[in-house]
């Protein structure tokens, strides 16, 4: 998990929820709003943790969730999305194999953040043929556009 300087508002709730669910927590910071931290840096750290196998999924929190999602999706193999409702939090995993949940600390409060994290971490990829086919298309796009 990682938070920029605006995302720290949800830090305690997100960290506690993940720990309460029995998951190992990799805390990539930040823990203060006093120093500006750029969300692309945190997105890169989470993406690298997933790509290296140190983490299976990630959670990014910035002010809106938008910037973190945009930055994370630039990393091959990372499927990040903003989810501010529980349907998207589970459907994104079940159908799209989303591996990074992005939240906006200015958009969701602590209670909804807990629900979103629980839903995201509790969801499993469906693995159906149509979902796998779509993921293969995304992977092909990543490969072909990395040479552009």
């Amino acid at each position: 998990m990682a938070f920029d300087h605006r995302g720290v508002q949800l830090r305690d709730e997100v960290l506690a929820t993940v720990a309460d669910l029995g998951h190992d927590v990799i805390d990539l910071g930040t823990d203060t709003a006093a120093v500006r931290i750029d969300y692309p840096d945190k997105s890169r750290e989470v993406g690298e943790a997933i790509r290296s196998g140190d983490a299976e999924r990630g959670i990014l929190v910035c002010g809106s969730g938008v910037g973190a999602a945009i930055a994370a999706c630039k990393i091959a193999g990372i499927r990040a999305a903003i989810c501010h409702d529980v349907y998207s939090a589970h459907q994104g995993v079940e159908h799209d194999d989303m591996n990074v949940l992005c939240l906006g600390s200015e958009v969701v409060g602590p209670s909804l953040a807990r629900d979103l994290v629980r839903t995201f971490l509790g969801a499993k990829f469906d693995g159906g043929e149509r979902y796998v086919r779509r993921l293969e298309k995304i992977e092909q796009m990543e490969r072909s556009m990395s040479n552009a």
Side-chain angles (χ1 to χ4, degrees), residues 67-100:
I70 290 170
C73 284
K74 299 298 180 188
I75 302 167
I78 301 303
R79 294 170 301 280
I82 305 163
C83 295
H84 293 150
D85 62 90
V86 293
Y87 175 80
S88 299
H90 72 78
Q91 190 271 343
V93 174
E94 293 164 356
H95 294 187
D96 306 309
D97 203 18
M98 177 176 69
N99 55 12
V100 177

Side-chain angles (χ1 to χ4, degrees), residues 1 3-17 59-63 84 102-114 116-117:
M1 282 159 277
F3 310 83
D4 75 358
H5 60 281
R6 289 179 59 205
V8 297
Q9 295 176 51
L10 291 178
R11 178 184 168 77
D12 292 342
E13 293 298 328
V14 170
L15 290 172
T17 301
I59 300 172
L60 289 165
V61 186
C62 66
H84 293 150
C102 299
L103 302 175
S105 65
E106 303 292 334
V107 181
V108 302
S111 178
L112 180 54
R114 285 190 300 271
L116 294 168
V117 168

Side-chain angles (χ1 to χ4, degrees), residues 100-145:
V100 177
L101 172 67
C102 299
L103 302 175
S105 65
E106 303 292 334
V107 181
V108 302
S111 178
L112 180 54
R114 285 190 300 271
D115 290 344
L116 294 168
V117 168
R118 278 194 293 269
T119 301
F120 169 67
L121 293 177
K124 304 286 184 238
F125 179 56
D126 178 279
E129 183 273 329
R130 66 182 171 167
Y131 305 124
V132 171
R133 182 182 70 246
R134 292 169 185 162
L135 286 175
E136 289 169 350
K137 288 181 179 184
I138 292 168
E139 290 168 356
Q140 181 181 2
M141 288 170 57
E142 287 178 341
R143 285 190 302 275
S144 68
M145 293 184 177

Side-chain angles (χ1 to χ4, degrees), residues 30-45:
T30 190
D31 61 359
T32 180
V35 178
R36 288 191 181 272
I37 303 294
D38 292 335
Y39 60 80
D41 298 330
K42 293 299 162 185
S43 297
R44 177 185 293 273
E45 291 173 18

